[in-house]
Amino acid sequence: MPVFYETEIASPLMLGTALYPSPDVLADAFRRSGAGVATVSLRRESAGGGDFWELIRELDIPVLPNTAGCHSVREAVTTAHMAREVFDTDWIKLEVIGHADTLQPDPFGLVEAARILSEDGFRVFPYTTEDGVLAGKLLDAGCEVLMPWGAPIGTGRGLMNPYGLRTLRAQFPEVPMVVDAGLGLPSHAAQVMEMGFDAVLLNTAVAQAGDPAAMAEGFALALRAGKLAYDADPMEPRDMAQPSTPLMGLAVLE
Amino acid sequence: MTGVTILGAGVAGLCVAHELTTRGASVRLIDPQGGLTGCSRYAGGMLAPFCEGETAVTEVVTLGQGAADWWAAAGVQVERRGTLVVALGRDQRELVRFGRRVPQHRALSAPEISELEPALADRFQKALFIQDEAHLDPRKALSVLRDGLARRGVSIVTDGPISGQLIDCRGLAAREDLLKLRGVRGEMVILRAPDVTLHRPIRMLHPRHPIYIVPRGEGLYMLGATQIESGDQGPARLRGIAELLNAAYALHPAFAEAEVLEIGADARPAFPDNMPRVVKAPDRIHVNGLFRHGFLMAPALAQEAATLVLNSRKPEHIE
């Protein structure tokens, strides 16, 4: 199972806690999928979110607070500090949003915030693009995990740039990587694991499904399938058909 | 006559009081704030059981269907004009998803939209219409119930002894007794936009900021509502209001000239499954957790609570 900052988690499924029809449905989705990490946003619930946070703690799995909705380094750093107090964890999923419409990461602000937070003792999980140069700068800034996007947040489109993600995976083979955002179907998650990534993080695809708990379980199964396939050393695709049963010795019928 | 004391005169307390007095019970209604305050004031007043079925449990759809008749019978003006659901150009997929979850809809073409709501002509190519839904003005509705109770000799008192059976309708104030109850914050705006004429609630779908606009007559519109997992009952935040106002402007540019009459914020009481319910405790009956379904669900819960008190018969939706 994936190890982030010396902590092994129980499943490669990291599940967000927003947008569910109710807290009961949320808890069901976590139970049925056995998700390994719960991510939670602090920005909007900053005042009076106590009841909801208590509910997240009751899930009894590691919590990864995020800085969703932060558009500047300062906002993200402040939110991270608040998260550390509320959830008593030095883990932080760092989002510095560069564009309000696409929710695309701001790579410059991200590196700066990652450096400030890492120096301050945080274990940073940066939400980034598949850009390898940017990934290098984040590692230099102190990050030991990377979270490249699959597609823009909430789009459910699956992997927009599989080539870029494959290159990133190959460029930093030792760094734990989570594909975060843009997944819509379990097959997308299986693809991520088949490519050798360590985990996925998703929210909308589960929370806004008609039956969130069933969809969460679907993702968990797909992740397991993809991981098994990756570890099993899959065959290489070939150009020519090759019969798996030898033709020699077949009876020749009139 | 059976004596009952009701705590809290928001939509739950007033509906329970109305139902009980209609059935001949003698009622005391206590509310430290004098009633008609709290989050009921900020409700949208949509009686839209089918639209709510997009995310709510089936009981809300089933029980909510009696709400419009109940309110009309109580003397409240109920507008039965259905609900129109639209989405902006790039959010058309939201309309597809909503349509799948709310099978009671009829898909409308552009000419049909402009026939129903001429103000929206040429603004939307597609919409969903849910015919058997209604809306009311929540503040007027609460006043009608209060005045009706006064005529029956029941006035809201701010303090006093509890006699007879106790029905607790205090919303979030009952949290010390209902441990699973939580607050879900909401923000709303009241606009006066005489340049825009809409006849029925319009829901505009959006992946992040879905909104609704409910006409209140005489150019008044209620614009709602944010839904944030927080029990904070403090003033509205700029972000939520900016989202609501932007969405209204996107629905119709003439809202740009609207007067902003009121900005409101409060927290709705909700149980973990967001299902409103009657809860029997040793010393009282709770009617609580109305979440975003106050005016839709209070009538059904009031009937359940009244039946429980008067007949000691256990209705279905009690735990």
Side-chain angles (χ1 to χ4, degrees):
Chain A
M1 285 299 148
V3 177
F4 304 125
Y5 294 106
E6 297 97 45
T7 301
E8 182 171 13
I9 61 169
S11 156
L13 179 58
M14 304 167 78
L15 202 49
T17 55
L19 302 170
Y20 290 81
S22 72
D24 269 1
V25 174
L26 182 160
D28 270 354
F30 274 83
R31 262 195 302 273
R32 215 168 132 182
S33 65
V37 167
T39 65
V40 57
S41 143
L42 264 86
R43 193 81 190 93
R44 297 195 81 173
E45 287 80 9
S46 52
D51 290 344
F52 187 67
W53 295 335
E54 189 50 42
L55 204 133
I56 303 299
R57 289 190 203 98
E58 281 172 16
L59 296 172
D60 204 23
I61 57 173
V63 172
L64 175 60
N66 67 39
T67 63
C70 293
H71 286 254
S72 71
V73 172
R74 183 192 285 254
E75 261 183 304
V77 168
T78 308
T79 306
H81 278 272
M82 209 170 69
R84 182 154 71 178
E85 275 181 35
V86 170
F87 289 105
D88 194 25
T89 175
D90 50 13
W91 283 14
I92 188 76
K93 181 191 153 189
L94 181 61
E95 278 186 32
V96 182
I97 298 302
H99 191 276
D101 247 11
T102 61
L103 302 180
Q104 183 174 348
D106 165 5
F108 310 100
L110 187 66
V111 173
E112 189 185 340
R115 187 183 48 74
I116 293 169
L117 290 170
S118 299
E119 282 172 5
D120 208 8
F122 282 92
R123 306 302 191 84
V124 179
F125 295 63
Y127 169 59
T128 180
T129 66
E130 71 279 14
D131 187 292
V133 177
L134 173 55
K137 302 249 182 228
L138 288 167
L139 297 174
D140 290 346
C143 299
E144 295 176 22
V145 176
L146 294 173
M147 297 187 117
W149 63 355
I153 297 173
T155 57
R157 305 185 74 91
L159 306 185
M160 289 290 90
N161 185 1
Y163 165 72
L165 285 168
R166 231 178 239 117
T167 308
L168 183 70
R169 177 69 288 181
Q171 199 175 343
F172 303 100
E174 303 303 326
V175 178
M177 286 193 208
V178 183
V179 172
D180 174 13
L183 304 188
L185 287 168
S187 52
H188 301 150
Q191 190 188 1
V192 168
M193 297 307 281
E194 287 163 9
M195 287 160 73
F197 286 91
D198 299 272
V200 300
L201 196 163
L202 50 102
N203 189 340
T204 311
V206 165
Q208 307 240 298
D211 184 344
M215 188 59 89
E217 187 182 353
F219 269 99
L221 293 170
L223 286 162
R224 183 167 145 70
K227 171 72 173 148
L228 281 171
Y230 177 74
D231 289 343
D233 187 14
M235 66 170 284
E236 290 300 319
R238 298 191 184 99
D239 288 337
M240 292 297 292
Q242 180 179 318
S244 50
T245 311
L247 293 170
M248 233 164 46
L250 279 187
V252 180
L253 302 175
E254 290 294 326
Chain B
M1 297 261 277
T2 311
V4 182
T5 302
I6 300 167
L7 294 182
V11 65
L14 286 166
C15 284
V16 171
H18 178 88
E19 185 69 25
L20 279 169
T21 50
T22 302
R23 298 191 193 185
S26 133
V27 163
R28 278 180 73 80
L29 189 50
I30 302 176
D31 189 313
Q33 268 81 49
L36 281 69
T37 57
C39 59
S40 303
R41 262 183 78 72
Y42 301 116
M46 290 182 293
L47 306 175
F50 305 114
C51 284
E52 290 301 308
E54 182 209 1
T55 51
V57 294
T58 323
E59 286 92 330
V60 171
V61 181
T62 317
L63 293 173
Q65 289 180 45
D69 287 343
W70 190 94
W71 285 108
V76 171
Q77 188 179 340
V78 175
E79 307 292 345
R80 298 172 194 260
R81 296 188 189 146
T83 305
L84 193 68
V85 183
V86 297
L88 293 174
R90 61 180 186 185
D91 302 324
Q92 288 302 305
R93 301 287 279 270
E94 296 297 312
L95 216 50
V96 176
R97 188 178 65 89
F98 192 92
R100 275 204 311 266
R101 307 270 166 86
V102 181
Q104 297 85 354
H105 74 268
R106 181 156 62 84
L108 299 188
S109 62
E112 291 172 307
I113 297 168
S114 58
E115 199 174 310
L116 268 184
E117 293 290 358
L120 299 181
D122 302 326
R123 295 201 56 75
F124 298 95
Q125 293 305 306
K126 279 182 193 160
L128 306 179
F129 181 52
I130 295 89
Q131 184 155 340
D132 294 327
E133 295 190 331
H135 67 282
L136 50 71
D137 180 331
R139 294 176 187 180
K140 284 186 188 158
L142 296 179
S143 299
V144 167
L145 290 188
R146 179 197 55 195
D147 297 346
L149 286 164
R151 282 194 298 276
R152 294 168 181 185
V154 179
S155 50
I156 303 167
V157 295
T158 53
D159 201 2
I162 290 166
S163 57
Q165 296 210 56
L166 177 59
I167 304 186
D168 189 331
C169 302
R170 289 179 297 150
L172 275 183
R175 277 164 106 171
E176 70 271 24
D177 296 326
L178 295 168
L179 296 178
K180 291 285 183 187
L181 201 66
R182 76 188 196 287
V184 181
R185 186 174 161 77
E187 294 155 313
M188 56 80 82
V189 178
I190 292 185
L191 301 174
R192 178 160 42 217
D195 299 344
V196 190
T197 305
L198 298 172
H199 302 88
R200 54 183 55 72
I202 313 289
R203 292 186 181 226
M204 194 165 78
L205 306 179
H206 185 279
R208 278 174 275 159
H209 318 301
I211 63 144
Y212 54 79
I213 291 186
V214 189
R216 296 259 168 101
E218 293 163 7
L220 296 185
Y221 291 91
M222 184 276 188
L223 171 60
T226 55
Q227 191 169 310
I228 303 162
E229 282 293 344
S230 163
D232 176 21
Q233 293 172 285
R237 304 295 170 96
L238 187 144
R239 178 199 301 256
I241 300 306
E243 285 166 6
L244 290 174
L245 295 178
N246 274 333
Y249 180 56
L251 177 74
H252 200 298
F255 276 115
E257 295 305 320
E259 296 169 81
V260 178
L261 298 187
E262 183 182 335
I263 290 176
D266 208 332
R268 318 160 173 96
F271 289 114
D273 58 0
N274 291 343
M275 164 76 187
R277 54 166 58 84
V278 175
V279 179
K280 182 120 177 59
D283 66 333
R284 64 187 66 191
I285 292 165
H286 291 277
V287 178
N288 214 321
L290 272 76
F291 185 47
R292 49 183 271 176
H293 309 306
F295 285 78
L296 181 65
M297 289 294 287
L301 296 192
Q303 289 168 328
E304 290 181 9
T307 302
L308 188 67
V309 166
L310 299 178
N311 306 359
S312 298
R313 186 166 61 79
K314 192 177 155 77
E316 275 175 37
H317 295 277
I318 297 187
E319 60 173 37

